């Protein structure tokens, strides 16, 4: 287990950042409101990463309670470029199992295919 930030990420390293327009942000928020509960029901109750109404403090409390009950280990997972390395085809297949609305799936696919604009040049993400 390493420290934070991971050793591979050097100080001053640049990572592309997608910043949506106001309209895109509204549409993304609407999609989250509609789709979030569909997938939230599948998550493990002790999972805290990027979950609504959960915080790092709550995760620490889960660990404290588990330690007091005799647990002596805590898994730590840090996936380098986790979101950037997701297989989009496999992701869309899994999303298609839970989402039947073709328009929503098309919208999600378009977000996955959106390029990165850097110095006036668009590249694939």
């Amino acid at each position: 287990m390493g420290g934070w930030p991971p050793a591979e990420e050097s100080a001053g390293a640049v990572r592309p950042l997608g910043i949506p327009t106001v309209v895109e942000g509204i549409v993304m928020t609407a999609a989250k409101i509609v789709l979030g509960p569909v997938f939230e029901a599948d998550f493990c109750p002790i999972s805290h990463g990027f979950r609504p109404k959960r915080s790092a403090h709550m995760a620490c409390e889960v660990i404290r309670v588990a330690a007091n009950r005799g647990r002596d280990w805590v898994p730590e997972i840090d996936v380098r470029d986790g979101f950037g390395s997701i297989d989009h085809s496999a992701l869309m297949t899994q999303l298609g199992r839970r989402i039947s609305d073709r328009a929503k799936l098309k919208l999600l696919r378009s977000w996955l295919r959106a390029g990165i604009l850097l110095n006036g040049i668009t590249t694939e993400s």
Side-chain angles (χ1 to χ4, degrees), residues 7 19 21-22 36 39 58 61 66 69 94 102 115-116 118 122:
I19 302 174
T21 66
V22 173
F39 293 98
M58 293 169 74
E61 178 63 11
R69 291 185 178 157
Q94 293 302 317
R102 291 170 97 56
I116 298 167
L118 184 62
T122 304

Side-chain angles (χ1 to χ4, degrees), residues 9 13-17 81:
E9 293 182 22
V14 177
R15 186 182 76 182
L17 177 63
D81 192 32

Side-chain angles (χ1 to χ4, degrees), residues 29-43 51-52 98:
T29 300
K32 178 184 173 205
I33 290 169
V34 171
L35 298 176
V38 171
F39 293 98
E40 183 65 27
D42 293 339
F43 293 132
R51 302 266 310 275
R98 297 295 301 273

Side-chain angles (χ1 to χ4, degrees), residues 3-15 78-83:
W4 186 259
E8 297 86 24
E9 293 182 22
S10 61
V14 177
R15 186 182 76 182
D78 181 20
V79 180
R80 183 174 30 150
D81 192 32
F83 292 113

Side-chain angles (χ1 to χ4, degrees), residues 31 35 39 92 95 99 103-113:
L35 298 176
F39 293 98
M92 289 307 302
L95 290 172
I99 302 169
K104 283 185 185 72
L105 289 170
K106 184 177 179 181
L107 178 62
L108 295 171
R109 187 177 295 109
S110 73
W111 287 336
L112 290 173
R113 291 181 176 161

Side-chain angles (χ1 to χ4, degrees), residues 57-78:
H57 293 287
M58 293 169 74
C60 288
E61 178 63 11
V62 169
I63 293 168
R64 187 192 66 75
V65 168
N68 287 338
R69 291 185 178 157
R71 299 276 185 182
D72 58 359
W73 57 269
V74 175
E76 175 188 354
I77 301 171
D78 181 20

